[in-house]
Amino acid sequence: MMLHMAEIWAALAACFILGALVGSIFHRAIALTGAGRVQASLIRWIDRVVRALERVLMPWRGSVPAVLPQTVPVPPPDFSHVSDAPELHVAVEPYVPRHITVDPLPSAGPEEVEFALVASPARPEPTKSFEDMARGDLVGYRPLPLQAPRQGVADPLHLIAGLTKRHAGRLAEVGIFHFSQIASWTPQELAWVAAYLGVGDAIDDKDWVGQAMRFASADEPVRAPEPVPKTASAAKAKPARKRKVAKPAEEGIATEASAPARRAAAKRASAAEPAAKAKPAAKAKPAAKTEAATRSGPAKPRARRKSKGAADSAAPDIDPATTAPNTAPPGPGPEADVAPPAEPSTGAAPAGADPADHRREP
Amino acid sequence: MAYVIVNYWPFLAIAAGLGFVVGWWALGSGRRGLGDDLSAGDRPS
């Protein structure tokens, strides 16, 4: 009996599935002909009927719950500018006289690339600033300001494309000093700032917020780009650097050079030997090689340069451009400048490349 | 199985007809959650 029932249901299911298959094929066939439009409207009607039936049979579907959760209306926060309120005006006052001067080329040295916070007691035209603020208040909310830059140092906001130093100064006037502040701007705050700075859609177009987000989430703290070392400090640093370079050459040992860099330099020197142009270098290198066996570590461009300098010590007329400050990033410029004079075979070695590349050289 | 087909063929025919209608309707219906691209060719242009 059970088997018989199962057979009946299986047969019914098989017929239904087969019929559905044929029906779908039929639908597609009809859709290819001119009757497709009629078919579509017919199906739309059937849809309506089915929906009406659904509403009748299952009235609870597609409706809102009868009892809504009770909510309390929360008034929007009032971020409007408080310049009109005299008692609160005092709290805003410190931003106006505080004048941030951005010093793009600090004379103190490359390590001290920071923004000098110069507090001038009285700013002559605060009214224009207030006008701009009022213009911002018409279109958005003022971003929450900071009293002063965190740790006394403002971020170099002008690194954001489209944000000039003048803009950075004006943002500092309203208490915006950091990338993180810009990164957290809401659209309303963005509108306020756009009206305040008078930059129109530039903030959106240049994606200041996105850029600020990238800067704010950078692993290293963002510094202003290092200026070209033309300052007096760089000139002062030159003799000291020369001495450092010359010393290991006299002793025949490169003190700080690591193993792969030394090996590479020694190879280069031995390659240069036939040219018989850099004999002092050839003398210095074997000694460096023997010591290199005891040490290991990643090749530092600076160290490599030092060992090169040792090779170059025979020619004391070092170009001032090569004596860049220690913090100069490893790049092709200084490397190429300090390259030993006699390396005809290995001259094409890229600066800052992996030491393994040198090992692969013939 | 032959017994079922012989004795219950009207019901099987009804099931097949119902399946046919459902299959035909389901392919063109806008109630489907997925496979909208299938009906793209069906829409009047």
Side-chain angles (χ1 to χ4, degrees), chain A residues 60-322:
Chain A
W60 60 88
R61 285 193 66 181
S63 61
V64 291
V67 181
L68 287 168
Q70 204 163 9
T71 57
V72 180
V74 179
D78 184 19
F79 290 135
S80 60
H81 186 48
V82 289
S83 62
D84 299 327
E87 67 276 5
L88 292 176
H89 186 78
V90 179
V92 182
E93 200 74 66
Y95 305 127
V96 182
R98 209 175 270 274
H99 179 53
I100 303 293
T101 307
V102 177
D103 189 7
L105 295 172
S107 55
E111 280 86 8
E112 293 165 22
V113 181
E114 284 174 359
F115 295 101
L117 185 66
V118 182
S120 59
R123 195 141 183 273
E125 68 282 357
T127 50
K128 187 183 179 304
S129 184
F130 278 123
E131 275 171 20
D132 293 337
M133 285 181 187
R135 203 167 58 227
D137 288 341
L138 289 176
V139 293
Y141 294 131
R142 180 181 170 181
L144 289 175
L146 281 179
Q147 289 275 352
R150 287 191 285 264
Q151 299 171 350
V153 181
D155 285 342
L157 297 182
H158 62 271
L159 292 182
I160 293 175
L163 199 158
T164 61
K165 283 173 187 161
R166 189 193 177 91
H167 290 150
R170 296 207 61 208
L171 286 176
E173 284 176 11
V174 292
I176 292 163
F177 305 101
H178 299 287
F179 291 122
S180 58
Q181 287 176 286
I182 297 176
S184 65
W185 280 349
T186 62
Q188 288 86 3
E189 290 169 343
L190 207 136
W192 189 94
V193 173
Y196 169 70
L197 295 178
V199 291
D201 294 334
I203 300 182
D204 260 340
D205 293 343
K206 303 268 182 173
D207 192 19
W208 286 15
V209 174
Q211 292 185 60
M213 232 180 267
R214 279 191 289 281
F215 281 125
S217 58
D219 293 335
E220 301 280 324
V222 179
R223 291 285 182 95
E226 215 164 274
V228 183
K230 283 179 181 173
T231 54
S233 65
K236 266 184 214 167
K238 189 176 76 173
R241 179 85 191 155
K242 234 181 196 175
R243 235 183 294 130
K244 262 189 192 174
V245 167
K247 218 177 184 179
E250 288 163 9
E251 295 167 5
I253 316 163
T255 49
E256 281 178 30
S258 55
R262 285 183 187 194
R263 232 174 284 138
K267 260 190 186 177
R268 210 176 286 164
S270 61
E273 248 181 328
K277 279 184 184 175
K279 275 182 184 172
K283 275 179 197 167
K285 291 307 154 187
K289 198 176 180 180
T290 50
E291 197 191 345
T294 60
R295 297 186 188 185
S296 64
K300 292 176 185 173
R302 185 181 154 198
R304 201 188 314 158
R305 209 175 71 190
K306 200 171 263 183
S307 62
K308 275 184 193 171
D312 211 18
S313 64
D317 52 336
I318 296 171
D319 189 25
T322 63

Side-chain angles (χ1 to χ4, degrees), chain A residues 4 7-8 11-12 15-16 19-20 22-24 26-28 31 37 39 42-43 46-47 50-51 54, chain B residues 1 3-4 8 11-12 15-16 18-20 22-25 27-31 38 41-42 44-45:
Chain A
H4 184 62
E7 271 184 358
I8 290 172
L12 285 173
C15 284
F16 183 87
V22 173
S24 61
F26 180 75
H27 178 101
R28 292 195 167 223
R37 198 170 291 186
Q39 179 179 250
L42 193 60
I43 284 176
I46 293 173
D47 273 352
V50 169
R51 230 171 275 139
E54 265 186 3
Chain B
M1 197 62 171
Y3 175 82
V4 170
Y8 293 89
F11 300 101
L12 298 183
L18 196 66
F20 178 86
V22 168
W24 168 80
W25 166 70
L27 205 65
S29 170
R31 295 166 58 80
L38 292 179
D42 306 337
S45 56

